[in-house]
Amino acid sequence: MLLIESRAVFERRRFHRRKAHLVLSALRHRAAELGEQALFLQTRTYRQALDQVDGPISVCQPTTWAADRFVRSLPEVEVLPPRGFCTGRDEFEKWAGRSRHLLLENFYRDARRRFDLLMHGDQPAAGRWNFDADNREPPPKNVAALPIPAPWQPEEDEIDEQVRADLDRWEREGTVEFVGRDGPREFAVTATEAQSAFGVFLRDRLPHFGPHEDAMLSGDRFLAHSLLSATMNLGLLDPLDCAYAAEDAYRSGDAPLASVEGYIRQLIGWRDYIWHVYWHFGSDYRRRNALQANAGLPDWFTNLDADAVDARCLKDVLGQVRDHGWVHHIPRLMVLSNYALQRGWDPAAMTDWFHRCFVDGYDWVMVANVVGMSQHADGGLMATKPYAAGGAYINRMSDYCGQCPYHPGERVGERACPFTGGYWWFLSRNRQYLAGNRRMNQPLAGMQRLSDLDEVVEQQRRLGQSAP
């Protein structure tokens, strides 16, 4: 087994310190497990390592367009099918060829049938394909955290210590620079650890996953989420195995159907869908910019300077990214991405930021999620309308607004919520483009009735790149 640790990867981009530690820890733990079965080369570049290898090499298909082109350009390299996904590339393309629109829900139902997951014959369990409507409850009132067991946590070892020492040394030498803060490792880096982490989620947390799946609590950054995305993206858990195990929990009465369905939809639906969209739409997909959003990312955001922010939701979420390199999907979509969408930040720059700053961020993960889903830069190939929302949404789905210096119901003045004002600024700036989208008719009509729209837009423009 050939394993390559390339230092140049960290020289080219400013990754989160925790992400660098996690990836190198996983790689070095694998090398230690394999022992003499592995040829582990630590070089500056991949090409330098390959120059030390004689004979043919086989490699699972890489997960990025750039890496795929690189390995296919090499002599004596056999590219095998990718691992770690449920639906194969050929199967997806067959489905896409039969589909008028590449709707996630249709893909998900097709996958449920193919894998016979949560099915009773040819019908879905309990007669429903989707329990999304049941999984959108706001957080419970007057609680700091959900009353459920904590997620699994690893214990660091000598390999973790050595990785941290090397990262410190590289920074001192000036060859690499990281963003974010270091801290104890929080995610699995071996298959044994991964099974332990999944077992804790399956037993203690999956039963509580569904209802508050879309909620946010300032005192509970985990809620009932699995925290397994980084581990799965490292190839340490098979998503289909996890889906069948979750189904078993439902069949045995250990977890409710709504929670299990929501989790399985993430595995065989959304995760696979994002992977295949990345390849289906081609390498130019990442450069789409339908809304002509060209503003740069401000320094306070790229440097994860949460202390510069007053808006409580954004301050807390950006602080979590700084300190942990992870937040769950709703803060990503409805706080970080929503704020960027409202202000017209460059979607390619946002894609790169998510890739570098999240422990589970990779090119295939973030291109479709950011360009297509959160920034609507693909013009609606993935989402039928932009995921823009004002402060009222955050107020309903979180406990952030009560102690915030801004008020979600105000759009102008000193107490104007930056998300509320930003929402109307986004609609005003893109009204011509959005006019043809019937799902935007109601919000656009509401905007026309605002007597202070010009004042709202002017205030948001004046704030510009400053931290809210």
Side-chain angles (χ1 to χ4, degrees), residues 2 4 39 41 48-57:
L2 173 63
I4 301 174
L39 174 59
L41 300 177
Q48 287 174 349
L50 292 171
D51 287 343
Q52 302 178 40
V53 180
D54 293 325
I57 299 172

Side-chain angles (χ1 to χ4, degrees), residues 319-341:
Q320 289 182 44
V321 179
R322 176 197 63 199
D323 296 341
H324 303 280
W326 183 91
V327 295
H328 69 79
H329 70 282
I330 292 301
R332 298 188 200 202
L333 180 63
M334 301 311 299
V335 177
L336 299 170
S337 297
N338 186 23
Y339 192 84
L341 175 67

